[in-house]
Amino acid sequence: QALWLTAVPIAAAPPRVARAGAMADDGEVDLPSALNLVVEGFQDPRFVAKVEEFTNINIETFAQVTKDGSHPVEWTIQFNKYKKLYEAQLAETLSQINVPVPAFMDYLSQCSEAYGGQPGYEHFDALMSSLTASEDYDAFVKVMFAAVRENWVPEDDTPAPDGYQIHQVDFTIPEGCEPGMVLEVDYLGARHSVVLPDDAVAGGSIKLHLQVPSDAVDDAN
């Protein structure tokens, strides 16, 4: 599932904060209701389809081996595009119900400061995490890595152990490297040691067969 926003049960916002931030003008949606409508907008099938399309067309972009903990510039470019998807959806929803974006964000901040991390408000923490996920580059990268794993197609001649996948990926040998050298590389959030073959040439490309956990890992190791 390549979605960042999950179907979280949405409880009414805490009454004290809701009264403090609610709009008084007749005909306008109050802020607690606006929060529910924003989440519904993110879960709308049409928006979900846009997110899935974006994710699917970028799978190959994130199925790359990296070195030294660095990421390709293209990943940041795609992250910014992803953010704009969510920003546009949020702006559209709030525009339809006549709620200014600054007022809505201030209301979220009030709720977070008053009730974030408090016992009994775990549902609110989950909701805030979902609403802000598109602003987090690291979370975005993890979602894209998960999409790569979920769309992996096994190679007939390379069986994988239980709980793992074997990914065949291209790797460009860095300048200054020689045959027999051991390189530490990253792929889908995991660290791998790669021994360069005897015919390795700096600037050339080799095929790597990397063992990847079927489930996500939090840190390279």
Side-chain angles (χ1 to χ4, degrees):
Q1 188 70 9
L3 305 179
W4 292 22
L5 288 167
T6 55
V8 181
I10 305 169
R16 178 166 64 82
V17 178
R19 284 196 298 270
M23 292 187 172
D25 294 341
D26 292 339
E28 291 185 338
V29 173
D30 60 51
L31 290 170
S33 298
L35 181 57
N36 285 330
L37 292 172
V38 165
V39 175
E40 289 177 6
F42 284 142
Q43 295 171 347
D44 183 280
R46 291 168 297 181
F47 180 69
V48 168
K50 287 183 181 179
V51 174
E52 289 183 337
E53 179 183 15
F54 177 93
T55 302
N56 289 335
I57 65 177
N58 281 289
I59 286 174
E60 291 298 324
T61 301
F62 288 83
Q64 292 189 39
V65 175
T66 59
K67 192 173 180 296
D68 300 327
S70 61
H71 290 172
V73 174
E74 182 64 20
W75 290 12
T76 300
I77 293 173
Q78 295 308 319
F79 170 60
N80 289 331
K81 291 180 180 179
Y82 197 94
K83 285 175 59 177
K84 288 181 180 179
L85 280 178
Y86 279 85
E87 290 169 355
Q89 179 68 18
L90 174 62
E92 179 181 354
T93 300
L94 295 180
S95 175
Q96 291 173 350
I97 57 180
N98 297 318
V99 173
V101 173
F104 179 77
M105 299 308 294
D106 286 345
Y107 173 66
L108 284 185
S109 179
Q110 290 179 50
C111 290
S112 181
E113 290 178 6
Y115 298 100
Q118 297 296 320
Y121 288 93
E122 289 80 8
H123 66 280
F124 178 74
D125 291 334
L127 179 59
M128 285 297 295
S129 178
S130 293
L131 287 173
T132 59
S134 63
E135 298 297 315
D136 187 331
Y137 172 79
D138 290 335
F140 167 72
V141 170
K142 288 180 180 179
V143 167
M144 295 307 303
F145 287 169
V148 175
R149 287 191 297 271
E150 289 167 5
N151 288 272
W152 169 71
V153 178
E155 298 283 341
D156 293 337
D157 58 346
T158 312
D162 290 343
Y164 288 88
Q165 302 171 350
I166 302 297
H167 289 219
Q168 179 175 291
V169 293
D170 293 322
F171 176 63
T172 300
I173 302 172
E175 293 297 327
C177 293
E178 299 177 352
M181 289 183 65
V182 179
L183 301 181
E184 297 293 321
V185 300
D186 296 317
Y187 180 70
L188 303 185
R191 182 65 50 83
H192 301 266
S193 295
V194 174
V195 180
L196 296 182
D198 293 339
D199 59 352
V201 178
S205 179
I206 59 175
K207 293 283 186 183
L208 301 180
H209 290 81
L210 303 178
Q211 183 170 286
V212 177
S214 299
D215 296 325
V217 292
D218 292 331
D219 298 297
N221 47 51

